Amino acid sequence: MKNPVALNRIAENTVFRKGDVFVLFGELFGRGYATGLLDEARRAGMEIVGITVGRRDENNALRPLDADELAAAEERLGGRIINIPVMAGFDLDAPAGGPTPTDLLAAMTLESWERDTLDWDYIAQCRDIATARFTGALSQVMAVLDGMIADGRNVFFAHTMAGGIPKAKVFLVLANRIYKGRGARHMSSQALLDSDMGKLILQNFDEVSAITFQHLIEASATIRARVEAAGGQVRYTAYGYHGTAVLIDGSYRWQTYTNYTQGYAKMRLEGIAQEAWASGIKATVYNCPEIRTNSSDVFTGIELPLIPLLLALKKEDGGQWADAQWQACEQLLLDGVTMNDVIGKITDMQANAVMRPFYDFSAWPMANSQAQSDLTIGTSNEITQMHRDGKALVSDHLSALVVEATGKLIFGETSDPAGPVQWLNHDIVARRLNASHHAAEPRAAEAVKDAHLKVA
Ligand SMILES: NC(=O)c1ccc[n+]([C@@H]2O[C@H](COP(=O)([O-])OP(=O)(O)OC[C@H]3O[C@@H](n4cnc5c(N)ncnc54)[C@H](O)[C@@H]3O)[C@@H](O)[C@H]2O)c1
C-alpha cells in the first residue's frame, strides 16, 4: 500500500441474518479484537462456529482439546468448535527424530546468537512439514464445516490468527529487550533481523499471521462455490496492523508503534487480500488501532496512541457520553493527576524530534533506535505509574471501546466492502462509538434546552 486507505463511512449489515454461519478462524480470548465482531454476529442471529489451534502434550505433540477444554472454549465462544488442531507456524515441526526450529534456537546463547547460523534447507523441510500438517488439518476442518452450512446460508469467515514467537529462552530474553528494554537493556531490532535467528522468526510470523489467511481462502473454495451457487454470499475478513491515524495537534495523523517486527507479515496479509479480491473474492484486511490484548501486551508503549482516542470522542461530537468516558478514565488515575497530564505526556512524546523519522508511512516498519525506545518505553512506564492500580489502566477502558467499535464497523462494512485493505482510524472509531452511545443524548439535551427556551 502506498497510502493508508481510510474507512470513512458507517455501513450497516445488509447480508447476514439469522441462521447464517460465522466462522472464527483463531481462538477467542477475553480481551481480543474478535470479541467485538462476535457480538455483532450474535446480534444478527448467526450460528457461531470456531476452531482450535490445539494444545501441545509433554512431548510437544499437537493434540485436540480435551473434553473440559472443549466445553470451556465452546461456552466462551457461544458456538460449536471443530476440534481438529490447526496450530500454524513451523517452530515445533521437524522430520521424525530431528530437532525442531525451536530446538535449534535453544542451542544458541546470548553471546553467540548474532553469529550463529541455521541450515536453511533443513528449516525449509520443517516448514514444508508444518504446511502439510496445517493444510491437512484444515481440509478436515472444512469437511466438517461443509456439513454445518445448509444451502441458502451466507458465510462470514473472520481470521484472527497472529503470532509465531518461538518459545526458545534466548529469543524470549531478546524480545523482552527489544520491546521493553531501556538504557543498557535496549536492543536493536535491526540486529535481530540481520541474524539467522531473526530471519527464521520473520518466516514464522509470515506463516502464522499471513499465509494462514491464504490457506483459509483456498481451503474454503468448495464451500464458497456451493454457497454461491445456492445464491448465498461468502466474506473473509482479517485484522491487520499498519499504523493508525490518531489526533495529534488537532488533526488526524498517521503514526505507528515501533518496532513492529510483525509488520512484514501484516503487509503480506494485505497482499493476500488484494490478490483474492482481484480474483473476485470479497476478502478484506481491516487495519486496526493499537489496543491492549493478550497478544499485544508484549509491546510496551503500544497503548500510547490509544489514549488520544478520548480527544477524538470529543472532536466527533461525543457530548456527554465522551465526557463520561473522560471522567471514567480520570478516576483510574492517582489523586491530583488528570487526563490532561497523561495526554500531555503523549503529546510531548509525539512532538519530540526523536519520534519524527518514525512517522513515515513509506518506511514502515522501521527498526527501533535507542533514543526512540527510551522515550516510548519511558513514557509508557511513567503513565502506568500515574494510575491508582497498575492492573486497571485507562488503556483497558479504551481498548474495550475500540473492540466494540471495530466489531460494529467491520461487521457493517463487510456486507459490501469497499476494497481489500482499509484502515480503521480514530475518527471513524470515535464516530461509531458516539453514534451508538451518544446518538440519543444530544436530541434529549436539545429537547430540554428547547423546553427551557420556550418557558423563558
Ligand atoms: N492488539 C492490537 O493492538 C492489534 C492491532 C491491530 C491488529 N491486531 C490483530 O488482531 C488480531 C487479533 O489479535 P488480538 O490482539 O485481538 O489478540 P488475541 O490474543 O486475542 O488473538 C490472537 C489470535 O491469534 C491466534 N494464534 C496465535 N498463535 C497462533 C498460532 N501459532 N497458530 C494459529 N493461531 C494462532 C490465537 O488463537 C488468537 O485467535 C491479530 O491478527 C492481531 O495482529 C491487533
Side-chain angles (χ1 to χ4, degrees):
M1 302 299 294
K2 292 213 170 58
N3 288 301
V5 179
L7 175 75
N8 50 24
R9 63 174 181 189
I10 295 179
E12 296 298 335
N13 164 40
T14 53
V15 169
F16 298 99
R17 51 182 194 268
K18 193 169 172 14
D20 286 345
V21 180
F22 180 93
V23 183
L24 185 67
F25 199 59
E27 292 195 0
L28 182 67
F29 301 120
R31 299 185 294 162
Y33 257 123
T35 52
L37 198 47
L38 264 166
D39 283 345
E40 298 310 306
R42 279 193 208 105
R43 209 191 310 279
M46 297 178 78
E47 299 286 325
I48 312 291
V49 180
I51 56 97
T52 177
V53 303
R55 298 292 177 266
R56 297 273 175 192
D57 70 14
E58 53 287 359
N59 303 315
N60 269 336
L62 202 53
R63 62 161 178 83
L65 301 178
D66 66 26
D68 289 346
E69 290 164 341
L70 182 62
E74 290 191 329
E75 187 172 341
R76 200 164 41 242
L77 182 71
R80 213 182 121 192
I81 287 178
I82 301 173
N83 195 10
I84 300 167
V86 283
M87 176 86 74
F90 58 93
D91 42 305
L92 287 170
D93 289 271
T100 65
T102 303
D103 294 330
L104 297 174
L105 295 182
M108 299 180 178
T109 68
L110 278 175
E111 287 69 41
S112 71
W113 68 271
E114 279 186 89
R115 296 182 310 275
D116 287 330
T117 56
L118 291 165
D119 174 348
W120 291 107
D121 289 338
Y122 184 75
I123 297 294
Q125 280 182 53
C126 298
R127 200 172 171 169
D128 291 347
I129 288 167
T131 300
R133 170 183 59 70
F134 184 88
T135 53
L138 188 53
S139 67
Q140 291 177 45
V141 167
M142 289 297 158
V144 177
L145 180 63
D146 199 16
M148 299 166 86
I149 303 169
D151 277 348
R153 298 303 186 193
N154 302 301
V155 185
F156 190 128
F157 287 101
H159 176 280
T160 69
M161 291 182 176
I165 292 184
K167 291 193 181 61
K169 212 168 155 196
V170 58
F171 177 69
L172 298 180
V173 173
L174 297 177
N176 251 323
R177 292 183 56 184
I178 290 178
Y179 303 126
K180 298 187 193 301
R182 274 193 297 166
R185 292 196 66 247
H186 165 77
M187 203 193 98
S188 154
S189 57
Q190 192 59 45
L192 175 67
L193 297 198
D194 291 342
S195 71
D196 271 16
M197 177 193 276
K199 293 187 172 76
L200 173 80
I201 285 160
L202 287 191
Q203 282 191 14
N204 209 41
F205 288 161
D206 268 357
E207 287 293 342
V208 178
S209 304
I211 298 170
T212 48
F213 193 43
Q214 183 152 7
H215 289 318
L216 170 65
I217 293 169
E218 285 169 3
S220 55
T222 313
I223 292 179
R224 191 167 61 243
R226 181 172 68 79
V227 168
E228 288 176 352
Q233 303 201 41
V234 179
R235 299 285 186 272
Y236 299 86
T237 65
Y239 294 96
Y241 178 68
H242 198 152
T244 311
V246 309
L247 259 187
I248 300 179
D249 284 341
S251 61
Y252 291 101
R253 278 173 32 204
W254 183 88
Q255 57 73 54
T256 177
Y257 168 81
T258 296
N259 165 259
Y260 189 62
T261 325
Q262 286 76 351
Y264 301 99
K266 287 299 190 192
M267 287 195 284
R268 187 153 178 178
L269 179 71
E270 292 172 0
I272 290 167
Q274 286 167 317
E275 265 175 44
W277 188 274
S279 60
I281 298 166
K282 292 251 183 298
T284 303
V285 168
Y286 293 97
N287 286 330
C288 286
E290 302 80 359
I291 61 166
R292 289 192 38 248
T293 65
N294 288 7
S295 298
S296 70
D297 269 354
V298 57
F299 307 116
T300 301
I302 195 160
E303 76 289 358
L304 297 173
L306 170 62
I307 295 174
L309 178 67
L310 284 171
L311 300 174
L313 292 175
K314 282 183 183 249
K315 185 179 166 77
E316 303 302 329
D317 297 327
Q320 292 166 6
W321 183 77
D323 290 342
Q325 302 319 299
W326 188 286
Q327 281 149 19
C329 289
E330 202 151 82
Q331 276 164 14
L332 300 173
L333 303 176
L334 290 170
D335 287 345
V337 179
T338 65
M339 272 317 300
N340 278 329
D341 298 333
V342 171
I343 290 175
K345 275 200 182 294
I346 296 167
T347 310
D348 289 349
M349 181 197 80
Q350 287 164 337
N352 193 307
V354 159
M355 296 306 288
R356 230 166 279 149
F358 293 90
Y359 296 156
D360 175 359
F361 181 78
S362 62
W364 193 83
M366 282 175 71
N368 64 6
S369 75
Q370 172 93 51
Q372 170 267 328
S373 296
D374 286 356
L375 184 60
T376 308
I377 297 164
T379 306
S380 174
N381 291 345
E382 282 172 30
I383 290 179
T384 303
Q385 276 158 21
M386 292 163 93
H387 288 75
R388 282 177 200 281
D389 175 356
K391 291 199 173 62
L393 302 176
V394 165
S395 51
D396 295 322
H397 184 84
L398 297 176
S399 294
L401 292 181
V402 173
V403 166
E404 177 197 325
T406 53
K408 287 189 162 68
L409 289 166
I410 294 173
F411 197 71
E413 175 68 15
T414 300
S415 287
D416 186 17
V421 186
Q422 302 190 54
W423 268 254
L424 274 53
N425 294 318
H426 274 196
D427 55 351
I428 196 76
V429 167
R431 280 170 51 201
R432 179 62 263 188
L433 285 165
N434 289 343
S436 307
H437 297 279
H438 182 55
E441 281 176 20
R443 265 169 268 140
E446 286 303 315
V448 171
K449 213 167 72 193
D450 284 354
H452 284 308
L453 286 175
K454 277 178 199 139
V455 171

